[in-house]
Amino acid sequence: MREIRLPLKEPFRISSGLVRERPILLLELTERSGATAWSECVAMELPNYTAETTDTARLALREWLAPRVLGREFHGPQEVAAVLAENIRGHNMAKAAVEMGCWGMAAEMQRVPLAGLLMVDANSAYTLADADHLAELDEFNLIMLEQPLGDDDLVRHAQLQKRLSTRICLDESITSVERAEDMITLGSGKIINIKPGRVGGFSASIAIHDICRRAEIPVWCGGMLESGIGRAYNVALASLPNFSLPGDLSPSARYWARDIVTPEWTMNSEGMVHVPRERPGIGVDVDSDMIESLSLRTEVLTAKSVARQRSPV
């Protein structure tokens, strides 16, 4: 478990603030056969997107989540999410780092590309009082209006959607499979932005994708200023068939002077990102030397070191 600080090429501004460098919590997982895989926790340094931060994620990983999986045998990565969820509420981003890392590990061990395992922003700046103002956006024929109201709201979004012809896309409001089902039932939106870190990993992301596909609700893959490691998981997820809208799959050079993977992620002139299906695992090599040079903190968690903390599951 390693925290790095990766400088951005230029400041990244959203409604909640300005980011000049990105603290990133990385996991390097090692299986007893020697196979390794990297994953990324997308939590921010401050609780300005969700309540989770890099510090809370580190605590959750060390004290509660790592003890659930270290030294334990799984028949496949699809079993991990339930083990991480039992009697532990929230901490979806920390859970996702472990769960998605297990998918990456499975891909490495099976010698298949990660994308081939996957078969199966107003940023809450408005309230319902702004409905008339937001309705004026209809004349622009926008693809969507993302998360205009509260980050935990479904009911008011349903009321707003009835006022608009523009499709509402929910992001922060969709934190689980059940919330996606509720959105569809209430009519709170017509598009979902699936961020695997926000919903707890691949298992939940695939389930939301499948539910939306059956309901003819398009989805797209949002970004969290991930490094090339986190980007690899997003690209693999976005290769599923119902990801029919453009996503936050920017090339490495959009944000980073130098990424921590090779080859760096690129985009062609038509705005398309290549899905690496030609090699096993996440599809890129991790620059361990660069990560070492950028590391601020490092912790090694083993089955033996967490044995006393392991809770029954």
Short mmCIF file of all heavy atoms in Angstrom, two decimals, residues 143-181:
data_model
loop_
_atom_site.label_atom_id
_atom_site.label_comp_id
_atom_site.label_asym_id
_atom_site.label_seq_id
_atom_site.Cartn_x
_atom_site.Cartn_y
_atom_site.Cartn_z
N ILE A 143 -26.42 16.42 -24.70
CA ILE A 143 -26.49 14.97 -24.53
C ILE A 143 -27.08 14.65 -23.17
O ILE A 143 -27.89 13.73 -23.02
CB ILE A 143 -25.10 14.34 -24.67
CG1 ILE A 143 -24.59 14.49 -26.10
CG2 ILE A 143 -25.14 12.85 -24.28
CD1 ILE A 143 -23.18 13.97 -26.28
N MET A 144 -26.68 15.42 -22.15
CA MET A 144 -27.14 15.13 -20.79
C MET A 144 -26.88 16.32 -19.89
O MET A 144 -26.09 17.21 -20.23
CB MET A 144 -26.41 13.91 -20.22
CG MET A 144 -24.94 14.17 -19.92
SD MET A 144 -24.01 12.72 -19.37
CE MET A 144 -23.68 11.93 -20.95
N LEU A 145 -27.51 16.31 -18.73
CA LEU A 145 -27.21 17.22 -17.63
C LEU A 145 -26.84 16.34 -16.45
O LEU A 145 -27.69 15.63 -15.91
CB LEU A 145 -28.42 18.10 -17.29
CG LEU A 145 -28.32 18.99 -16.06
CD1 LEU A 145 -27.14 19.96 -16.17
CD2 LEU A 145 -29.62 19.75 -15.83
N GLU A 146 -25.57 16.40 -16.06
CA GLU A 146 -25.08 15.46 -15.05
C GLU A 146 -25.22 16.03 -13.64
O GLU A 146 -24.77 17.14 -13.35
CB GLU A 146 -23.61 15.10 -15.31
CG GLU A 146 -23.06 14.07 -14.34
CD GLU A 146 -21.62 13.72 -14.63
OE1 GLU A 146 -21.06 14.25 -15.59
OE2 GLU A 146 -21.05 12.91 -13.86
N GLN A 147 -25.83 15.25 -12.78
CA GLN A 147 -25.92 15.48 -11.34
C GLN A 147 -26.18 16.95 -10.98
O GLN A 147 -25.39 17.59 -10.29
CB GLN A 147 -24.62 15.02 -10.66
CG GLN A 147 -24.74 14.84 -9.15
CD GLN A 147 -25.65 13.68 -8.74
OE1 GLN A 147 -25.60 12.63 -9.35
NE2 GLN A 147 -26.43 13.88 -7.71
N PRO A 148 -27.31 17.50 -11.42
CA PRO A 148 -27.56 18.90 -11.09
C PRO A 148 -27.90 19.14 -9.62
O PRO A 148 -27.58 20.20 -9.08
CB PRO A 148 -28.75 19.25 -11.99
CG PRO A 148 -29.43 17.95 -12.26
CD PRO A 148 -28.34 16.92 -12.29
N LEU A 149 -28.56 18.17 -8.96
CA LEU A 149 -29.02 18.37 -7.58
C LEU A 149 -28.15 17.61 -6.58
O LEU A 149 -27.04 17.19 -6.92
CB LEU A 149 -30.49 17.96 -7.47
CG LEU A 149 -31.43 18.61 -8.49
CD1 LEU A 149 -32.87 18.14 -8.27
CD2 LEU A 149 -31.34 20.12 -8.45
N GLY A 150 -28.64 17.44 -5.37
CA GLY A 150 -27.85 16.88 -4.27
C GLY A 150 -27.23 15.53 -4.57
O GLY A 150 -27.79 14.71 -5.30
N ASP A 151 -26.09 15.30 -3.96
CA ASP A 151 -25.33 14.09 -4.27
C ASP A 151 -25.99 12.82 -3.77
O ASP A 151 -25.65 11.72 -4.24
CB ASP A 151 -23.90 14.19 -3.72
CG ASP A 151 -23.85 14.32 -2.21
OD1 ASP A 151 -24.91 14.46 -1.57
OD2 ASP A 151 -22.74 14.28 -1.66
N ASP A 152 -26.93 12.92 -2.85
CA ASP A 152 -27.62 11.73 -2.35
C ASP A 152 -29.09 11.72 -2.73
O ASP A 152 -29.88 10.95 -2.20
CB ASP A 152 -27.48 11.63 -0.83
CG ASP A 152 -28.08 12.82 -0.09
OD1 ASP A 152 -28.43 13.82 -0.77
OD2 ASP A 152 -28.20 12.75 1.13
N ASP A 153 -29.46 12.57 -3.68
CA ASP A 153 -30.88 12.75 -3.99
C ASP A 153 -31.33 11.90 -5.17
O ASP A 153 -30.62 11.74 -6.17
CB ASP A 153 -31.16 14.22 -4.34
CG ASP A 153 -32.61 14.44 -4.71
OD1 ASP A 153 -33.44 14.47 -3.80
OD2 ASP A 153 -32.90 14.53 -5.92
N LEU A 154 -32.52 11.34 -5.06
CA LEU A 154 -33.20 10.67 -6.17
C LEU A 154 -34.58 11.27 -6.42
O LEU A 154 -34.98 11.45 -7.57
CB LEU A 154 -33.34 9.17 -5.89
CG LEU A 154 -32.05 8.34 -5.88
CD1 LEU A 154 -32.36 6.90 -5.49
CD2 LEU A 154 -31.36 8.38 -7.24
N VAL A 155 -35.30 11.60 -5.34
CA VAL A 155 -36.67 12.08 -5.47
C VAL A 155 -36.73 13.42 -6.20
O VAL A 155 -37.53 13.61 -7.13
CB VAL A 155 -37.33 12.20 -4.07
CG1 VAL A 155 -38.71 12.86 -4.19
CG2 VAL A 155 -37.45 10.82 -3.44
N ARG A 156 -35.90 14.38 -5.81
CA ARG A 156 -35.94 15.70 -6.45
C ARG A 156 -35.44 15.64 -7.89
O ARG A 156 -35.92 16.39 -8.75
CB ARG A 156 -35.16 16.70 -5.62
CG ARG A 156 -35.83 17.03 -4.29
CD ARG A 156 -34.92 17.77 -3.33
NE ARG A 156 -35.57 17.97 -2.04
CZ ARG A 156 -35.65 17.01 -1.10
NH1 ARG A 156 -35.13 15.81 -1.31
NH2 ARG A 156 -36.27 17.25 0.04
N HIS A 157 -34.49 14.76 -8.15
CA HIS A 157 -34.06 14.56 -9.53
C HIS A 157 -35.21 14.04 -10.39
O HIS A 157 -35.35 14.42 -11.56
CB HIS A 157 -32.87 13.59 -9.60
CG HIS A 157 -31.54 14.24 -9.39
ND1 HIS A 157 -30.74 14.01 -8.29
CD2 HIS A 157 -30.85 15.13 -10.15
CE1 HIS A 157 -29.64 14.72 -8.37
NE2 HIS A 157 -29.67 15.41 -9.49
N ALA A 158 -36.05 13.18 -9.80
CA ALA A 158 -37.21 12.68 -10.54
C ALA A 158 -38.18 13.82 -10.86
O ALA A 158 -38.73 13.89 -11.97
CB ALA A 158 -37.92 11.60 -9.72
N GLN A 159 -38.35 14.72 -9.90
CA GLN A 159 -39.22 15.87 -10.15
C GLN A 159 -38.64 16.77 -11.24
O GLN A 159 -39.36 17.28 -12.10
CB GLN A 159 -39.41 16.67 -8.85
CG GLN A 159 -40.17 15.92 -7.77
CD GLN A 159 -40.24 16.70 -6.47
OE1 GLN A 159 -39.28 16.77 -5.71
NE2 GLN A 159 -41.38 17.33 -6.22
N LEU A 160 -37.34 16.98 -11.18
CA LEU A 160 -36.68 17.83 -12.17
C LEU A 160 -36.73 17.20 -13.56
O LEU A 160 -36.97 17.91 -14.55
CB LEU A 160 -35.23 18.10 -11.75
CG LEU A 160 -34.42 18.97 -12.70
CD1 LEU A 160 -35.02 20.37 -12.82
CD2 LEU A 160 -32.96 19.06 -12.24
N GLN A 161 -36.50 15.90 -13.64
CA GLN A 161 -36.50 15.24 -14.94
C GLN A 161 -37.83 15.40 -15.65
O GLN A 161 -37.88 15.51 -16.88
CB GLN A 161 -36.16 13.75 -14.79
CG GLN A 161 -36.06 12.97 -16.10
CD GLN A 161 -34.91 13.43 -16.98
OE1 GLN A 161 -33.79 12.95 -16.89
NE2 GLN A 161 -35.19 14.38 -17.88
N LYS A 162 -38.92 15.45 -14.89
CA LYS A 162 -40.24 15.66 -15.49
C LYS A 162 -40.37 17.05 -16.11
O LYS A 162 -41.21 17.26 -17.00
CB LYS A 162 -41.34 15.46 -14.44
CG LYS A 162 -41.47 14.02 -13.95
CD LYS A 162 -42.51 13.91 -12.85
CE LYS A 162 -42.62 12.48 -12.34
NZ LYS A 162 -43.58 12.34 -11.21
N ARG A 163 -39.55 17.99 -15.63
CA ARG A 163 -39.60 19.36 -16.14
C ARG A 163 -38.71 19.56 -17.36
O ARG A 163 -38.85 20.58 -18.05
CB ARG A 163 -39.14 20.33 -15.04
CG ARG A 163 -39.95 20.28 -13.75
CD ARG A 163 -41.14 21.20 -13.82
NE ARG A 163 -40.79 22.58 -14.03
CZ ARG A 163 -40.47 23.45 -13.05
NH1 ARG A 163 -40.48 23.04 -11.79
NH2 ARG A 163 -40.19 24.70 -13.35
N LEU A 164 -37.78 18.64 -17.59
CA LEU A 164 -36.78 18.82 -18.64
C LEU A 164 -36.93 17.81 -19.75
O LEU A 164 -37.33 16.66 -19.52
CB LEU A 164 -35.36 18.65 -18.05
CG LEU A 164 -34.96 19.47 -16.83
CD1 LEU A 164 -33.52 19.15 -16.43
CD2 LEU A 164 -35.11 20.96 -17.11
N SER A 165 -36.60 18.23 -20.97
CA SER A 165 -36.45 17.26 -22.05
C SER A 165 -35.01 16.77 -22.11
O SER A 165 -34.74 15.67 -22.61
CB SER A 165 -36.87 17.88 -23.39
OG SER A 165 -36.05 19.00 -23.70
N THR A 166 -34.06 17.56 -21.60
CA THR A 166 -32.67 17.14 -21.50
C THR A 166 -32.57 15.96 -20.54
O THR A 166 -33.15 15.99 -19.44
CB THR A 166 -31.79 18.29 -20.98
OG1 THR A 166 -31.90 19.41 -21.86
CG2 THR A 166 -30.33 17.85 -20.92
N ARG A 167 -31.84 14.94 -20.93
CA ARG A 167 -31.69 13.77 -20.07
C ARG A 167 -30.78 14.09 -18.88
O ARG A 167 -29.68 14.62 -19.05
CB ARG A 167 -31.10 12.60 -20.86
CG ARG A 167 -32.02 12.08 -21.95
CD ARG A 167 -31.41 10.90 -22.69
NE ARG A 167 -30.20 11.30 -23.42
CZ ARG A 167 -29.47 10.46 -24.15
NH1 ARG A 167 -29.79 9.18 -24.22
NH2 ARG A 167 -28.40 10.89 -24.80
N ILE A 168 -31.25 13.75 -17.68
CA ILE A 168 -30.42 13.89 -16.48
C ILE A 168 -29.56 12.64 -16.35
O ILE A 168 -30.04 11.52 -16.50
CB ILE A 168 -31.28 14.08 -15.22
CG1 ILE A 168 -31.95 15.47 -15.25
CG2 ILE A 168 -30.44 13.92 -13.95
CD1 ILE A 168 -32.90 15.71 -14.09
N CYS A 169 -28.28 12.86 -16.08
CA CYS A 169 -27.35 11.76 -15.79
C CYS A 169 -26.99 11.82 -14.32
O CYS A 169 -26.62 12.88 -13.82
CB CYS A 169 -26.09 11.89 -16.64
SG CYS A 169 -24.75 10.78 -16.14
N LEU A 170 -27.13 10.70 -13.63
CA LEU A 170 -26.75 10.67 -12.22
C LEU A 170 -25.36 10.06 -12.06
O LEU A 170 -25.01 9.08 -12.70
CB LEU A 170 -27.78 9.88 -11.41
CG LEU A 170 -29.16 10.53 -11.29
CD1 LEU A 170 -30.03 9.77 -10.30
CD2 LEU A 170 -29.05 12.00 -10.89
N ASP A 171 -24.62 10.68 -11.16
CA ASP A 171 -23.23 10.28 -10.87
C ASP A 171 -23.14 9.95 -9.40
O ASP A 171 -23.28 8.80 -8.98
CB ASP A 171 -22.30 11.43 -11.27
CG ASP A 171 -20.83 11.17 -10.94
OD1 ASP A 171 -20.50 10.09 -10.41
OD2 ASP A 171 -20.00 12.07 -11.21
N GLU A 172 -22.95 10.97 -8.56
CA GLU A 172 -22.76 10.74 -7.13
C GLU A 172 -23.94 10.05 -6.46
O GLU A 172 -23.77 9.38 -5.44
CB GLU A 172 -22.48 12.08 -6.42
CG GLU A 172 -21.15 12.71 -6.75
CD GLU A 172 -21.21 13.66 -7.93
OE1 GLU A 172 -22.18 13.56 -8.72
OE2 GLU A 172 -20.29 14.48 -8.07
N SER A 173 -25.14 10.21 -7.00
CA SER A 173 -26.32 9.59 -6.39
C SER A 173 -26.33 8.08 -6.53
O SER A 173 -27.05 7.39 -5.81
CB SER A 173 -27.61 10.14 -7.03
OG SER A 173 -27.78 11.50 -6.72
N ILE A 174 -25.55 7.55 -7.48
CA ILE A 174 -25.55 6.10 -7.73
C ILE A 174 -24.36 5.48 -7.03
O ILE A 174 -23.23 5.48 -7.54
CB ILE A 174 -25.52 5.80 -9.24
CG1 ILE A 174 -26.63 6.56 -9.97
CG2 ILE A 174 -25.64 4.29 -9.47
CD1 ILE A 174 -28.03 6.24 -9.48
N THR A 175 -24.60 4.97 -5.83
CA THR A 175 -23.53 4.39 -5.02
C THR A 175 -23.64 2.88 -4.88
O THR A 175 -22.82 2.26 -4.22
CB THR A 175 -23.52 5.02 -3.61
OG1 THR A 175 -24.83 4.88 -3.03
CG2 THR A 175 -23.17 6.51 -3.68
N SER A 176 -24.66 2.30 -5.49
CA SER A 176 -24.88 0.87 -5.37
C SER A 176 -25.82 0.39 -6.47
O SER A 176 -26.45 1.20 -7.16
CB SER A 176 -25.49 0.52 -4.00
OG SER A 176 -26.81 1.07 -3.90
N VAL A 177 -25.92 -0.92 -6.60
CA VAL A 177 -26.86 -1.50 -7.55
C VAL A 177 -28.29 -1.08 -7.20
O VAL A 177 -29.10 -0.73 -8.07
CB VAL A 177 -26.73 -3.03 -7.56
CG1 VAL A 177 -27.79 -3.66 -8.46
CG2 VAL A 177 -25.33 -3.46 -7.98
N GLU A 178 -28.62 -1.10 -5.92
CA GLU A 178 -29.97 -0.75 -5.47
C GLU A 178 -30.33 0.69 -5.81
O GLU A 178 -31.47 1.00 -6.18
CB GLU A 178 -30.11 -0.99 -3.97
CG GLU A 178 -30.05 -2.45 -3.55
CD GLU A 178 -28.64 -3.02 -3.55
OE1 GLU A 178 -27.67 -2.23 -3.57
OE2 GLU A 178 -28.51 -4.25 -3.54
N ARG A 179 -29.37 1.59 -5.68
CA ARG A 179 -29.63 2.99 -6.01
C ARG A 179 -29.89 3.15 -7.51
O ARG A 179 -30.71 3.98 -7.92
CB ARG A 179 -28.45 3.85 -5.59
CG ARG A 179 -28.23 3.93 -4.09
CD ARG A 179 -29.16 4.90 -3.43
NE ARG A 179 -28.81 6.28 -3.72
CZ ARG A 179 -29.47 7.34 -3.22
NH1 ARG A 179 -30.51 7.13 -2.42
NH2 ARG A 179 -29.11 8.56 -3.52
N ALA A 180 -29.21 2.36 -8.34
CA ALA A 180 -29.48 2.40 -9.78
C ALA A 180 -30.89 1.91 -10.07
O ALA A 180 -31.62 2.49 -10.90
CB ALA A 180 -28.44 1.55 -10.52
N GLU A 181 -31.27 0.84 -9.40
CA GLU A 181 -32.64 0.33 -9.57
C GLU A 181 -33.66 1.37 -9.14
O GLU A 181 -34.70 1.56 -9.80
CB GLU A 181 -32.81 -0.96 -8.78
CG GLU A 181 -32.00 -2.13 -9.32
CD GLU A 181 -32.05 -3.35 -8.42
OE1 GLU A 181 -32.21 -3.17 -7.18
OE2 GLU A 181 -31.92 -4.47 -8.94
#
